[in-house]
Amino acid sequence: SQKIEQNSEALNIQEGKTATLTCNYTNYSPAYLQWYRQDPGRGPVFLLLIRENEKEKRKERLKVTFDTTLKQSLFHITASQPADSATYLCALGPSRWGYNKLIFGAGTRLAVHP
Amino acid sequence: SAVISQKPSRDICQRGTSLTIQCQVDSQVTMMFWYRQQPGQSLTLIATANQGSEATYESGFVIDKFPISRPNLTFSTLTVSNMSPEDSSIYLCSVGTGTGGSGANVLTFGAGSRLTVL
């Protein structure tokens, strides 16, 4: 069955540094991959989507890469700020062979310290 | 994107009772999704609620335990029946916005309902 792995340990970084979060998956060929942000007591909020034929996608201080050979996505936040502290979830979109639902990872908690 | 109101935001329930969670969307949507998020675990899809038809349940979830209603295109309820402590979780409703292009299913979530079963 499909499996998504995100680092379960919290990532602690200093303000101004680049945060890099990893999402690995197995037994799946997603047509796209998404990243969401979740704050305590809130539902996840969509950040970025990257398709299988795209290597990199950027949005302001966010950058996502997608390596379908390694079955891995990296999520970068440059010039991180304490306000970026949250849990970040990756989600796999349906495969090209169908099965129309998103499969979520458990998320990685990011803490940005002043 | 759609705005989703979900209630209750949290509740403490006794074993054996049932609780209904409500989800209201500010626009008409075809499909609404109900997820469960247990502590330290990933979001797991419970079922997809379509207006005018029976909900479609994922493996491991059954209608008797999680009955769903979808009376119109802006509203849905999820009931957690005969609760046990194992049902303690956050339950979230969501809708697909399709803003990812080519039918990519980007989701908007409600704030969630945190249930604690004693």
Side-chain angles (χ1 to χ4, degrees), chain A residues 32 34 36 38 41-44 46 49 51 89 99-102 104-106, chain B residues 35 37 40-43 45 58 92 100-102 104-107 109-111:
Chain A
Y32 54 84
Q34 302 178 21
Y36 288 77
Q38 187 173 22
R42 310 292 288 272
F46 169 74
L49 178 150
R51 299 186 179 279
L89 313 175
Y99 197 38
N100 187 25
K101 77 171 188 178
L102 291 177
F104 283 86
Chain B
Y35 282 85
Q37 188 174 33
Q41 297 190 28
S42 60
L43 284 164
L45 182 63
E58 297 297 312
L92 299 121
S102 300
N105 203 22
V106 171
L107 296 180
F109 287 87

Side-chain angles (χ1 to χ4, degrees), chain A:
Chain A
S1 62
Q2 309 95 344
K3 186 176 180 180
I4 303 175
E5 291 184 349
Q6 294 187 257
N7 194 338
S8 59
E9 294 183 9
L11 178 63
N12 292 281
I13 64 168
Q14 286 297 120
E15 182 176 10
K17 301 293 186 182
T18 295
T20 298
L21 287 70
T22 304
C23 176
N24 296 297
Y25 61 92
T26 57
N27 299 325
Y28 204 57
S29 296
Y32 54 84
L33 185 148
Q34 302 178 21
W35 284 88
Y36 288 77
R37 169 181 172 145
Q38 187 173 22
D39 292 284
R42 310 292 288 272
V45 174
F46 169 74
L47 295 175
L48 279 169
L49 178 150
I50 186 166
R51 299 186 179 279
E52 60 177 337
N53 60 349
E54 297 176 313
K55 296 292 186 184
E56 181 180 300
K57 185 73 72 74
R58 293 176 183 262
K59 179 183 176 182
E60 298 173 351
R61 295 184 296 112
L62 309 180
K63 184 178 84 171
V64 172
T65 63
F66 192 11
D67 189 325
T68 56
T69 301
L70 292 178
K71 295 187 180 296
Q72 180 182 78
S73 175
L74 299 179
F75 177 80
H76 307 273
I77 305 175
T78 58
S80 60
Q81 306 165 0
D84 296 325
S85 299
T87 297
Y88 292 86
L89 313 175
C90 71
L92 304 184
S95 73
R96 283 170 289 169
W97 295 276
Y99 197 38
N100 187 25
K101 77 171 188 178
L102 291 177
I103 303 171
F104 283 86
T108 298
R109 187 163 61 85
L110 171 67
V112 181
H113 303 283

Side-chain angles (χ1 to χ4, degrees), chain B residues 29 31-33 94-99 105-108:
Chain B
V29 293
M31 290 192 290
M32 296 176 73
F33 306 94
S94 69
V95 301
T97 62
T99 58
N105 203 22
V106 171
L107 296 180
T108 297

Side-chain angles (χ1 to χ4, degrees), chain B residues 10-27:
Chain B
R10 58 177 62 231
D11 207 339
I12 299 173
C13 308
Q14 295 298 317
R15 181 194 298 261
T17 63
S18 298
L19 182 80
T20 296
I21 301 166
Q22 299 180 10
C23 181
Q24 178 76 51
V25 188
D26 69 343
S27 58

